[in-house]
């Protein structure tokens, strides 16, 4: 059996730091439409979402197993490779948060790990068949499925309630949004918290602390759930604004339809062990809900920028992870250099963000970035 070392401890801390960024980066997935429509006050929304992310972390470990023994060869991976991959994921998460782009934290993690392992162990260290089947194909299919389901659900919701009083209909769907947004948060915990569990488990396997093929220990599940819950409570208001106000003109029936469609897709994928992007699923649901309402405004310029971020996330994080791995494999000095560089980047990004702060108080203001509106009728 192996033993705990300073490097293993550093990797576990970095994994939990990534989990925290995942939380505030992805709070918008569950709560953006509820905040935008007024179904939930912003602060109440993040409290509910954080608590349910924690609960969701305990419901399944299938995705964690996909990461710890699926996309990379755990017999070739070392803790410093995992550390380098985490740095790539964290840097990309912070950068896209700065610009309010709801990119995939999941794909940032996968990209960082793939780049780091490729540099550290060679191409044989990456299971590209597994990457294609359980990451790339779901990445393409899941937002389309969620979008189509949300579009149909939105259309039916307006057809069924067209003779009802607008105020009563809105109130009813707002109550429904509280339930559906809560389910998205629960589903997010079952999918995204597991990714950090998988990374920590992979680290423990690579250090010889756990045997090959092991699942995450209970304390790993607990720490990962707590980290993503705390990150969720932090808010991630910049991305909530983009998804709630910048992507489409959303009313309560649309918000309910989008959240319900997203929950269905995420929970089904978690059960099957598909490590998909909850961001892409929820964004697809919001777009589908926008298209599904007659005369709703869908801002295709914002959608286009989001799509570009999705395309570049995995390769960009892989490049940062690969560069970090090339430095980290030089030994302790390389690890220290990467740590200092990552901290400097994080501080710089946070400093820049304070020039145009987005908070719970102004989250429902329209984004200042230019958008290209298009009107779509169902």
């Amino acid at each position: 059996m192996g033993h705990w070392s300073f490097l293993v401890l550093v990797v576990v801390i970095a994994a939990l730091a990534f989990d925290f960024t995942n939380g505030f980066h992805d709070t918008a997935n569950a709560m953006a439409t509820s905040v935008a429509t007024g179904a939930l006050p912003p602060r109440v929304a993040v409290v509910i979402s954080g608590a349910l992310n924690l609960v969701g972390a305990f419901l399944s470990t299938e995705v964690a197993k996909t990461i710890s023994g699926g996309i990379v060869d755990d017999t070739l991976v070392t803790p410093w490779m995992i550390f380098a991959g985490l740095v790539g994921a964290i840097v990309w998460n912070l950068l896209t948060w700065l610009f309010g782009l709801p990119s995939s934290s999941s794909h940032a993690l996968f990209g960082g790990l793939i780049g780091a392992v490729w540099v550290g162990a060679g191409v044989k260290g990456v299971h590209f068949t597994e990457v294609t089947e359980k990451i790339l194909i779901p990445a393409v299919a899941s937002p389309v499925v969620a979008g189509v389901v949300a579009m149909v659900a939105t259309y039916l919701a307006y057809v069924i309630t067209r003779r009802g009083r607008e105020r009563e209909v809105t109130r009813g769907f707002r109550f429904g949004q509280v339930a559906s947004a809560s389910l998205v948060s629960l589903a997010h915990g079952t999918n995204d918290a597991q990714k950090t569990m998988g990374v920590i488990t992979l680290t423990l396997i690579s250090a010889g602390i756990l045997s090959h093929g092991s699942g995450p220990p209970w304390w790993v599940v607990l720490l990962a759930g707590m980290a993503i819950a705390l990150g969720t409570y932090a808010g991630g208001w910049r991305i909530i604004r983009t998804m709630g106000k910048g992507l489409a003109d959303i009313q309560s029936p649309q918000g309910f339809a989008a959240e319900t469609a997203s929950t269905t897709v995420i929970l089904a994928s978690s059960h099957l062990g598909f490590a998909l992007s909850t961001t892409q699923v929820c964004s697809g649901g919001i777009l589908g809900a926008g298209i599904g309402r007659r005369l709703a405004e869908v801002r295709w310029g914002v959608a286009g920028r989001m799509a570009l971020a999705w395309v570049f996330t995995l390769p960009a994080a892989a490049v940062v992870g690969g560069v970090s791995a090339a430095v980290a494999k030089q030994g302790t000095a390389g690890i220290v250099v990467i740590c200092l560089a990552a901290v400097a980047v994080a501080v710089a990004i946070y400093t820049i963000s304070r020039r145009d702060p987005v908070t719970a108080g102004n989250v429902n203001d329209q984004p200042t970035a230019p958008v290209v509106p298009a009107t779509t009728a169902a």
Side-chain angles (χ1 to χ4, degrees):
M1 293 293 289
H3 63 279
W4 282 83
S5 65
F6 174 74
L7 178 56
V8 171
L9 182 60
V10 168
V11 175
V12 171
I13 293 172
L16 294 175
F18 164 77
D19 207 20
F20 182 84
T21 68
N22 190 351
F24 75 71
H25 199 281
D26 290 4
T27 307
N29 296 345
M31 293 299 174
T33 57
S34 294
V35 171
T37 62
L40 285 170
R43 282 296 179 189
V44 173
V46 296
V47 170
I48 293 173
S49 186
L52 290 173
N53 266 276
L54 177 59
V55 173
F58 288 88
L59 297 183
S60 173
T61 58
E62 291 303 315
V63 174
K65 293 174 183 176
T66 295
I67 294 170
S68 62
I71 65 173
V72 294
D73 188 340
D74 62 13
T75 64
L76 300 176
V77 173
T78 61
W80 61 263
M81 295 180 201
I82 300 171
F83 172 72
L86 287 166
V87 169
I90 291 170
V91 168
W92 184 256
N93 266 0
L94 292 175
L95 189 62
T96 49
W97 165 78
L98 176 65
F99 291 104
L101 290 173
S103 71
S104 171
S105 296
S106 306
H107 290 177
L109 176 60
F110 302 146
L113 285 175
I114 290 169
V117 172
W118 197 334
V119 168
V123 67
K124 62 183 180 296
V126 181
H127 296 157
F128 286 102
T129 300
E130 198 79 4
V131 170
T132 300
E133 291 179 356
K134 292 207 169 182
I135 296 176
L136 297 182
I137 292 176
V140 175
S142 58
V144 175
V145 172
V148 170
V149 172
M151 179 181 66
V152 174
T154 297
Y155 177 78
L156 291 176
Y158 279 103
V159 169
I160 293 170
T161 61
R162 66 181 182 273
R163 297 185 185 280
R165 295 181 179 179
E166 182 177 353
R167 179 178 297 180
E168 294 177 358
V169 169
T170 298
R171 183 185 299 115
F173 275 113
R174 282 184 176 177
F175 281 120
Q177 275 192 275
V178 174
S180 59
S182 297
L183 286 174
V184 174
S185 296
L186 188 69
H188 186 262
T190 67
N191 199 283
D192 279 45
Q194 290 187 60
K195 291 155 190 171
T196 297
M197 297 177 206
V199 169
I200 295 176
T201 303
L202 181 60
T203 302
L204 300 178
I205 291 172
S206 69
I209 298 171
L210 295 177
S211 59
H212 293 290
S214 296
W218 70 268
W219 61 268
V220 171
V221 177
L222 176 62
L223 288 179
M226 290 177 64
I228 201 168
L230 289 172
T232 302
Y233 177 71
W237 306 111
R238 307 176 86 83
I239 299 176
I240 290 178
R241 174 188 283 183
T242 298
M243 291 185 71
K245 290 294 185 180
L247 189 56
D249 180 22
I250 295 294
Q251 296 180 351
S252 292
Q254 296 164 279
F256 175 76
E259 291 158 359
T260 303
S262 299
T263 301
T264 303
V265 173
I266 295 167
L267 288 177
S269 69
S270 295
H271 178 70
L272 296 172
F274 292 131
L276 53 71
S277 164
T278 54
T279 299
Q280 293 181 357
V281 171
C282 294
S283 299
I286 292 173
L287 273 176
I291 295 171
R293 179 168 72 88
R294 180 178 175 81
L295 300 180
E297 185 181 48
V298 178
R299 300 174 181 90
W300 295 106
V302 175
R305 288 196 294 276
M306 285 172 48
L308 284 176
W310 293 354
V311 170
F312 283 109
T313 292
L314 198 147
V319 169
V320 178
V323 171
S324 299
V327 177
K329 71 178 180 179
Q330 304 305 317
T332 303
I335 297 292
V336 172
V337 168
I338 293 300
C339 284
L340 293 176
V343 170
V345 169
V347 170
I349 289 174
Y350 178 77
T351 302
I352 294 171
S353 74
R354 302 316 299 163
R355 298 175 183 174
D356 180 26
V358 181
T359 66
N362 65 1
V363 68
N364 277 334
D365 295 346
Q366 286 291 347
T368 56
V371 296
V372 180
T375 301
T376 306

